Amino acid sequence: MQSRLCRSKDMMAAVYCVLMSVAALAISPETAVASTAEAPCGRCGLAAPADRGAAAPATAPPRAATIVLVAAEATKQSDEDAEGASLLTAWDSAAGAPSGWRVFSEKPDAEGSPWRLDADGVLSCRGTPLGYLATKESFGDFVLRLQWRWPQGKEGKGGVLINFSGEDRIWPKSLEAQINAGQAGDFWGLAGFEFTGPTERLKTIEHAQFGRLTHLPRTTDAERSAGQWNDYEIRAEKEWVVLRINGREVNRANRGAAAAGPIVLTAEGSPIEFRNIRLKALNGSGQPRRPAE
């Protein structure tokens, strides 16, 4: 009986030593390795766990180096890089136009400018006399973004002209992205400006006053009702011009090798408002287009 008890105690002691050795490995691998050089346990012959404070001998394997990966800080893209430079920065009272723009009117002696820029950055036009506001700088490949709206209950006529060349007139040779109420998104080639598009929608008209006109109707209606702001985006890159209204593509045309020209906002007899006019030049789209001579 006594020998059975002794054997039982010896087994329990052996289990205890194994458990203590495993615990030592879990707590500190280096210390557990070092402890194997200590005197064995008198009960089971396994190495007794060393004091946690004991230092590992020189033969202990080195701890693996900890690698810390630090992500490089991303370069924040400025609003100007993302959206382009603002074309409404200040008002030139002498010119009666925003800085960098000029006014053309069919009645140059008319009193006061039909254009006004308020403190909130809204550019308004009373619509008369007929004419336009044109940038002094020419642009070839670009993304033009702006917002426009008609006053509540006063839908009317207007447009944005690009690739303007030739003399000032009503209306100059250019490609018009139309914003007439109910027709926003149509393309018009004015005064003989040539472009191509789907033949089933493309029409050419000989007009007694305005000369040869080319018309490409929009593919869908996307404009909002009067009193609400509309988002307008014209992307002119290489041969193609793509027009989006409120995020939806409504038209595209091939303008060929049209020369660079001013950006033009028309005054066609109707009050209209613009804001957030921004332009981003696309210098990477090929050789810059030269202004028309």
Side-chain angles (χ1 to χ4, degrees), residues 29-232:
E30 294 89 347
T31 303
V33 172
S35 69
T36 58
E38 301 295 327
C41 174
R43 289 185 179 272
C44 62
L46 295 176
D51 187 344
R52 290 183 185 178
T59 57
R63 180 186 292 270
T66 301
I67 300 175
V68 179
L69 299 178
V70 180
E73 184 178 356
T75 303
K76 185 177 180 181
Q77 187 179 38
S78 69
D79 290 341
E80 183 168 319
D81 290 338
E83 300 180 5
S86 173
L87 296 184
L88 296 179
T89 56
W91 181 254
D92 184 345
S93 57
S99 296
W101 298 71
R102 65 181 182 86
V103 176
F104 170 75
S105 172
E106 67 172 354
K107 297 180 179 179
D109 297 330
E111 184 177 351
S113 172
W115 302 88
R116 183 174 64 88
L117 182 65
D118 69 18
D120 295 325
V122 175
L123 176 67
S124 60
C125 177
R126 66 173 183 252
T128 56
L130 298 183
Y132 46 80
L133 195 64
T135 60
K136 295 178 180 178
E137 186 176 353
S138 291
F139 303 96
D141 294 339
F142 57 85
V143 178
L144 175 68
R145 297 183 178 93
L146 57 82
Q147 292 180 300
W148 59 269
R149 71 177 178 186
W150 303 110
Q152 188 70 43
K154 295 183 178 180
E155 296 90 340
K157 296 180 179 180
V160 179
L161 314 184
I162 66 172
N163 297 117
F164 168 8
S165 63
E167 62 181 14
D168 286 320
R169 54 174 288 188
I170 306 293
W171 300 102
K173 185 177 181 179
S174 59
L175 174 60
E176 178 185 23
Q178 192 174 78
I179 54 179
N180 286 9
Q183 299 174 346
D186 286 8
F187 279 148
W188 282 91
L190 305 180
F193 183 94
E194 295 183 357
F195 69 89
T196 59
T199 55
E200 66 274 15
R201 290 191 290 121
L202 193 68
K203 295 181 180 180
T204 300
I205 304 167
E206 293 295 339
H207 194 280
Q209 180 181 354
F210 303 129
R212 189 167 184 262
L213 305 176
T214 303
H215 183 212
L216 184 66
R218 66 207 174 282
T219 57
T220 185
D221 292 319
E223 64 185 292
R224 299 182 178 125
S225 58
Q228 299 183 56
W229 287 104
N230 293 274
D231 296 316
Y232 216 52

Side-chain angles (χ1 to χ4, degrees), residues 6 11 52 59 183 231 235 246 253 261 268 288:
C6 288
M11 290 177 64
R52 290 183 185 178
T59 57
Q183 299 174 346
D231 296 316
R235 185 181 188 93
N246 297 321
E268 299 188 37

